[in-house]
Amino acid sequence: MTEDMIIMNTVDDYNRLFGLETLHPLVNVIDLSEATRFPVRFTINYGIYALFLKDTKCGDIRYGRQTYDYREGTIISFAPGQVAETEMLGGIKPTARGIVFHPDLIKGTSLGQEIKTYSFFSYNSTEALHLSDEEKRIILDCLAKTRMELEHPIDKLSKRLIARNIQLLLDYCMRFYNRQFTTREKSNKDVLTRFETLLDGYYPGGHSHTDGLPTVRYFADKVCLSPNYFGDLVKKETGKSPQEYIQNKIIDTAKDMLADTEMTVNQIADELGFQYSQHFNRVFKKITGRTPGEYRREYEAR
């Protein structure tokens, strides 16, 4: 952790950083044009949720190995535990709008139960959501409704209404991300092809000896995407998760080794990257309905 890192555990921490008014201890709708302080360069360790619509033009944004030039607004988001470094451009007053809220705000609400389903909170900033003008208007309308509720005197319905407005905002963001996956069809196909090639070459390339079992993170890193974005992209394109692809490859490889080699089950488990043969047995039986030994005996009896 660097000396300049800001530990942002409360909404008030964010408000003080930019000189903004605190209307509610657990949530604030942000308009940086109202800020009275403008730090030039800072690193934040988030203990709160944050989602921002950047109104300024975007430069080059990397998606996988390709670069796209976007000139409409973008949405970026952060979840507790994430670290982000920001450097403001000299002489330019930021115009971003968005929302910050503490996890305690949504405890006991439907949003609290579903917050983990909004996987875009774990996307990298380079995987930002790019909005059309109509989509920007929808986001700004959601923010305005939330701000209006914050300015209303607190009553028994305040927490529920604020949480529901935030959930509506996040639902729209999820819809727009799904749209973006569709409009980026060619780049998505390129990522999928690269994933399939890497997966096919994982065992022949001996990677299990150095990296163990293949993981979603391993392949996401190889295609330069965050695991959540990579997972959502693959699911959107194929209807299957990367984990399903990986498990199928493991089992197919295991079947070949059981049928075509004299290696013991323990040796096969080790070759595949399992630390324990019991783990291999459980995974194999879960997928095939048989233990490795039963599969081998059935194959030999054919």
Side-chain angles (χ1 to χ4, degrees):
M1 188 172 295
T2 67
E3 292 182 4
D4 298 328
M5 183 173 292
I6 300 167
I7 307 301
M8 190 164 288
N9 287 328
T10 68
V11 169
D12 192 54
D13 289 339
Y14 187 92
N15 293 338
R16 283 189 283 107
L17 178 64
F18 287 98
L20 294 166
E21 182 183 4
T22 298
L23 297 176
H24 191 291
L26 298 179
V27 59
N28 195 18
V29 173
I30 304 298
D31 183 347
L32 285 184
S33 68
E34 300 173 353
T36 58
R37 295 183 66 244
F38 299 101
V40 176
R41 185 172 182 174
F42 52 92
T43 301
I44 296 176
N45 186 330
Y46 282 91
I48 58 177
Y49 290 95
L51 184 145
F52 302 103
L53 168 61
K54 298 168 63 179
D55 293 337
T56 53
K57 291 183 179 180
C58 298
D60 288 342
I61 296 179
R62 289 189 61 79
Y63 263 68
R65 298 183 181 277
Q66 300 187 48
T67 301
Y68 302 95
D69 183 24
Y70 288 98
R71 290 183 170 80
E72 66 266 47
T74 63
I75 289 281
I76 57 174
S77 55
F78 307 98
Q82 293 181 321
V83 176
E85 182 177 343
T86 300
E87 184 170 4
M88 297 291 190
L89 295 175
I92 297 179
K93 188 175 181 179
T95 58
R97 283 171 282 185
I99 190 167
V100 294
F101 61 96
H102 194 278
D104 286 351
L105 176 76
I106 59 176
K107 288 188 184 300
T109 69
S110 61
L111 177 56
Q113 295 171 354
E114 297 181 23
I115 190 68
K116 296 298 184 184
T117 66
Y118 298 103
S119 53
F120 53 78
F121 275 113
S122 294
Y123 293 171
N124 290 332
S125 59
T126 51
E127 298 154 352
L129 170 58
H130 312 289
L131 301 180
S132 67
D133 288 340
E134 180 183 357
E135 290 167 347
K136 282 192 289 183
R137 284 193 291 269
I138 291 171
I139 294 299
L140 292 174
D141 183 61
C142 288
L143 291 172
K145 285 184 170 62
T146 308
R147 178 67 176 259
M148 183 174 60
E149 188 57 41
L150 289 179
E151 294 172 345
H152 188 280
I154 295 177
D155 56 30
K156 292 182 179 179
L157 291 175
S158 295
K159 178 178 178 179
R160 183 190 305 179
L161 289 170
I162 292 169
R164 284 182 175 174
N165 277 319
I166 295 173
Q167 189 162 13
L168 179 63
L169 170 68
L170 300 184
D171 282 344
Y172 273 117
C173 287
M174 185 64 78
R175 168 183 281 178
F176 299 154
Y177 261 113
N178 287 338
R179 181 271 305 158
Q180 181 163 287
F181 285 129
T182 300
T183 57
R184 300 290 169 256
E185 186 174 355
K186 182 183 184 302
S187 62
N188 293 351
K189 293 291 187 185
D190 291 344
V191 169
L192 189 60
T193 299
R194 176 72 173 146
F195 169 46
E196 291 172 342
T197 300
L198 289 165
L199 184 56
D200 287 341
Y202 190 85
Y203 285 116
H207 296 288
S208 60
H209 299 298
T210 55
D211 299 300
L213 284 171
T215 64
V216 174
R217 178 171 292 278
Y218 172 88
F219 295 107
D221 287 346
K222 292 295 183 183
V223 297
C224 303
L225 296 173
S226 64
N228 272 29
Y229 189 91
F230 174 65
D232 287 347
L233 185 155
V234 174
K235 182 77 172 180
K236 184 71 177 177
E237 285 293 317
T238 69
K240 293 182 180 180
S241 69
Q243 190 59 45
E244 289 177 289
Y245 271 90
I246 291 168
Q247 282 197 338
N248 288 339
K249 174 58 66 175
I250 292 171
I251 297 307
D252 285 345
T253 305
K255 287 179 177 179
D256 289 340
M257 297 172 78
L258 288 165
D260 299 333
T261 76
E262 296 183 356
M263 297 172 66
T264 67
V265 171
N266 286 349
Q267 289 172 329
I268 291 173
D270 182 66
E271 188 71 16
L272 292 172
F274 287 90
Q275 285 188 305
Y276 306 102
S277 60
Q278 296 93 327
H279 183 201
F280 169 54
N281 290 341
R282 286 197 302 271
V283 172
F284 192 93
K285 187 170 184 178
K286 178 183 177 181
I287 301 298
T288 69
R290 293 162 287 181
T291 67
E294 289 170 341
Y295 176 86
R296 173 172 272 172
R297 286 192 291 273
E298 288 180 10
Y299 180 84
E300 291 173 344
R302 293 174 188 171

